[in-house]
Amino acid sequence: MDEHRARLGGVEPICRTLTEHDCKIAPSTYYAHRKRLRAPSARTVRDAELKPLIQQIFEANYRVYGARKVWRELHRQGHIVARCTVERLMRELGVTGAVRGKKIITTIPDSSVERAPDLLDRNFVAPAPNRCWVADFTQNAAMATAPPHWSVTPPGDRPGPC
C-alpha cells in the first residue's frame, strides 16, 4: 500500500477499492499496522527482552523447570515479571517443564485388528457351576519392569453373578 498510495491518491481510495473486491480493510487498520511496524508496543519490547532470559534459565536447569520455577528464578535475578507472562512466553517458545506423576499407558488398542467375539454376550450368569469361566487379566503396577502377572479365576472363587 505504501508503494501505491502516492500514485492512487492516498490510503482511503485504495481501501475503498479493496472493499469493492470483498477485502474490507479500514484506513485506520492500515495506519495502526504502520505504527506498530515503526514503534513496537511496550509488551513486544519487554517480551523480546524476557524470551532469551527464560530460554537461558530453562536450558541452565536441565530443561525441567516449569513456569513457576522459571518465574521464581527471574525474580531472584531481579527481573520483576508476572507469572502469567512467563507462562505465555514459555508457550510461545515451545518449552515445557517436566511433568511428574503422569500415568503410563500400558495398552494401546489397535483399531485395525478384529476383536475376539463376545461368546457370553456380556451375560456372565452361568446356568450351573463350572459352566462359565472368566479370565481376569491383571498387571501389577508395582512390578512394572517384570513381566505382567496373569491369573484366571474360577467362577466359584470370584465375587459376582458368575
Side-chain angles (χ1 to χ4, degrees), residues 3-162:
E3 300 168 4
H4 304 290
R5 69 182 188 160
R7 186 169 47 95
L8 298 173
V11 174
E12 288 80 7
I14 295 173
C15 291
R16 201 174 313 115
T17 306
L18 288 172
T19 303
E20 290 171 4
H21 291 85
D22 292 330
C23 184
K24 297 181 179 181
I25 299 176
S28 60
T29 305
Y30 165 74
Y31 290 119
H33 176 70
R34 240 181 97 199
K35 183 180 178 185
R36 273 195 305 276
L37 289 179
R38 252 186 293 135
S41 66
R43 176 176 164 169
T44 306
V45 172
R46 178 84 167 139
D47 288 354
E49 293 171 2
L50 290 173
K51 280 183 179 180
L53 293 171
I54 290 172
Q55 190 72 42
Q56 186 268 329
I57 291 169
F58 183 75
E59 297 290 335
N61 290 287
Y62 307 104
R63 303 175 62 89
V64 297
Y65 269 19
R68 188 177 63 90
K69 287 187 176 182
V70 170
W71 172 69
R72 290 178 60 100
E73 180 62 29
L74 283 169
H75 276 254
R76 279 193 291 273
Q77 292 179 6
H79 305 284
I80 307 304
V81 60
R83 192 166 91 190
C84 60
T85 302
V86 175
E87 292 167 355
R88 178 178 53 81
L89 293 176
M90 286 183 72
R91 273 193 306 273
E92 287 179 16
L93 290 169
V95 296
T96 56
V99 178
R100 287 187 280 173
K102 190 171 184 180
K103 295 283 185 187
I104 297 171
I105 299 172
T106 57
T107 305
I108 301 172
D110 187 3
S111 59
S112 65
V113 177
E114 185 180 339
R115 299 223 183 263
D118 185 4
L119 300 177
L120 293 176
D121 213 18
R122 299 279 178 214
N123 180 10
F124 297 107
V125 179
N130 274 339
R131 298 286 171 99
C132 171
W133 282 65
V134 177
D136 183 20
F137 298 108
T138 308
Q139 182 176 2
N140 189 347
M143 307 224 5
T145 56
H149 169 72
W150 307 109
S151 65
V152 176
T153 308
D157 297 346
R158 183 179 164 81
C162 188

